[in-house]
Amino acid sequence: QVQLAESGGGLVQVGGSLRLSCTMSGGSSTTLRMGWFRQAPGKERELVASITWISGRPYHADSVVGRFTISRDNAKNTVDLQMSSLRPDDTAVYYCARQRVGRSAFETWGQGTQVTVSS
C-alpha cells in the first residue's frame, strides 16, 4: 500500500519562505503524477502544483506562479514544494497526493501539514 508523508510546514511571516517535502513509500513504478493541494478554512481544496513522475513536467496554479516551485527526486521518492514570497492567503493545510498510472484522479493522500503565514 502506497503511503505519503508530508513535512516542512509551520509558521512564517509574510514574504518568507518554506519548503514542504513529501516522501512516498512504495508505488513509485506505478505513479503517473504527484501533486500538492491546499485547503484553507471554509474553502474547497485546490491544486497548487503537480509534476509528472517520469518526465518531471511541472504545473503551477496561477496563484503561485513565480512564487512556488514543485520538484521531484525519483531516487529518493520525494516531491518538494518550495514556497517563497508567502502571503496570508497561502495559509492552509497542504496535502501531498498521488495519481496512479491509468487513473484520472489523485487517489492517495498524505495527512497534511499546516502552513500559516502571519502578517
Side-chain angles (χ1 to χ4, degrees):
Q1 183 177 358
V2 178
Q3 294 184 326
L4 304 176
E6 302 104 334
S7 62
L11 175 65
V12 64
Q13 292 186 335
V14 169
S17 299
L18 278 177
R19 188 177 185 90
L20 305 183
S21 186
C22 174
T23 300
M24 176 170 56
S25 299
S28 60
S29 63
T30 57
T31 295
L32 176 65
R33 191 164 58 127
M34 298 292 292
W36 282 99
F37 289 75
R38 67 186 180 187
Q39 187 166 22
K43 295 187 177 181
E44 293 187 355
R45 185 168 55 193
E46 63 174 347
L47 175 64
V48 175
S50 67
I51 189 165
T52 56
W53 190 245
I54 299 300
S55 65
R57 185 176 70 248
Y59 160 82
H60 298 86
D62 289 344
S63 59
V64 305
V65 166
R67 301 188 301 121
F68 292 10
T69 302
I70 190 170
S71 62
R72 84 329 180 202
D73 185 327
N74 299 64
K76 297 180 179 179
N77 280 357
T78 58
V79 58
D80 291 352
L81 185 68
Q82 178 66 47
M83 306 185 294
S84 60
S85 301
L86 284 162
R87 310 183 308 213
D89 61 357
D90 294 317
T91 295
V93 178
Y94 284 71
Y95 297 91
C96 175
R98 170 187 177 255
Q99 180 182 5
R100 182 176 178 174
V101 171
R103 303 293 196 184
S104 60
F106 291 90
E107 297 180 332
T108 304
W109 297 84
Q111 80 283 358
T113 185
Q114 177 71 46
V115 172
T116 302
V117 184
S118 67
S119 55

